[in-house]
Amino acid sequence: GQQVMQIPQYQHVQEGEDFTTYCNSSTTLSNIQWYKQRPGGHPVFLIQLVKSGEVKKQKRLTFQFGEAKKNSSLHITATQTTDVGTYFCAGGIGGGSEKLVFGKGMKLTVNP
Amino acid sequence: NAGVTQTPKFQVLKTGQSMTLQCAQDMNHEYMSWYRQDPGMGLRLIHYSVGAGITDQGEVPNGYNVSRSTTEDFPLRLLSAAPSQTSVYFCACSYEGAGGETQYFGPGTRLLVL
């Protein structure tokens, strides 16, 4: 079936560092969504990308959707301890876009 | 406006017991879905509904039943609990199909099956 792969699964950074995490799909997606889940919490929507090559920014977070609509990236600059959590990408599949396929997540820890 | 609510927050069951996880939303969203989250597995879709009276299977539907008699409620029933169903269950809703719309998640139900 359709799969959405996230790499890396774990990321440990020093506070202030930049890093990028990636999301790859085996099939073309109608859109890509990113969620953040704090420890013990529930996933919270961050952003949605729909257009090929789209780039969106939220403060220190930059999201990109690939030209082929099969991959996406999340870049965080100047990481802070408040960024700690698990980041999930989720791709819309099917003509009716009724389903989201989630990646397994990227767990971020930050060394202050 | 409570958003998405789930009850109970925690539950311990014995193998073979049945129970219903409740999910309610006051956002008047047509689309609702159930996910389970296991360590290292991300979120996997169990069942979803595109509107009252309409349900369909997701990726991991076995052992679970759903119904959607109203727009607001989407209960998940475990027919005969098994240890493999130990997980965190999240209900979510969106205005339209999940693939194209923001998903709003409930706080989750943590289930332990002994």
Side-chain angles (χ1 to χ4, degrees):
Chain A
Q2 291 91 350
Q3 283 192 326
V4 173
M5 307 297 291
Q6 280 187 255
I7 52 172
Q9 287 193 18
Y10 302 93
Q11 182 82 45
H12 180 74
V13 300
Q14 197 73 24
E15 190 172 21
E17 287 183 346
D18 301 352
F19 79 93
T20 303
T21 183
Y22 301 91
C23 180
N24 298 302
S25 170
S26 55
T27 59
T28 302
L29 303 170
S30 61
N31 73 100
I32 194 93
Q33 299 177 26
W34 286 87
Y35 292 79
K36 178 182 178 181
Q37 184 178 26
R38 294 185 184 276
H42 60 276
V44 175
F45 174 80
L46 292 177
I47 209 153
Q48 180 188 36
L49 304 170
V50 180
K51 299 176 183 177
S52 170
E54 189 171 9
V55 178
K56 288 187 176 180
K57 291 187 176 182
Q58 282 184 354
K59 297 183 180 178
R60 295 177 293 101
L61 277 62
T62 301
F63 303 84
Q64 187 167 5
F65 201 10
E67 293 291 338
K69 300 182 76 173
K70 287 186 174 182
N71 53 69
S72 180
S73 64
L74 161 59
H75 181 77
I76 301 182
T77 58
T79 307
Q80 299 178 358
T81 54
T82 54
D83 295 326
V84 164
T86 300
Y87 293 80
F88 293 96
C89 64
I93 60 170
S97 289
E98 293 176 345
K99 297 181 184 178
L100 268 182
V101 177
F102 279 81
K104 293 184 179 182
M106 188 280 298
K107 185 176 181 179
L108 174 66
T109 54
V110 179
N111 196 23
Chain B
N1 190 338
V4 182
T5 58
Q6 290 184 240
T7 57
K9 291 185 179 180
F10 303 95
Q11 183 72 47
V12 178
L13 290 178
K14 293 181 179 179
T15 297
Q17 287 184 316
S18 62
M19 79 160 293
T20 299
L21 279 63
Q22 302 291 344
C23 174
Q25 54 101 357
D26 61 1
M27 305 170 78
N28 201 30
H29 283 177
E30 289 295 323
Y31 186 98
M32 296 186 74
S33 53
W34 276 102
Y35 295 87
R36 59 177 290 173
Q37 184 174 35
D38 303 294
M41 295 297 292
L43 291 149
R44 292 183 291 170
L45 182 65
I46 304 171
H47 285 285
Y48 66 99
S49 168
V50 299
I54 306 170
T55 63
D56 206 346
Q57 295 181 349
E59 180 186 357
V60 288
N62 293 339
Y64 307 95
N65 273 356
V66 292
S67 60
R68 183 93 179 274
S69 56
T70 67
T71 299
E72 294 77 20
D73 300 299
F74 191 41
L76 178 72
R77 281 183 288 276
L78 279 68
L79 309 173
S80 177
S84 61
Q85 293 179 305
T86 292
S87 188
V88 181
Y89 291 85
F90 288 102
C91 176
C93 70
S94 60
Y95 183 67
E96 292 180 346
E101 296 285 334
T102 302
Q103 293 287 286
Y104 297 92
F105 284 85
T109 293
R110 284 154 179 78
L111 176 67
L112 173 63
V113 183
L114 301 174

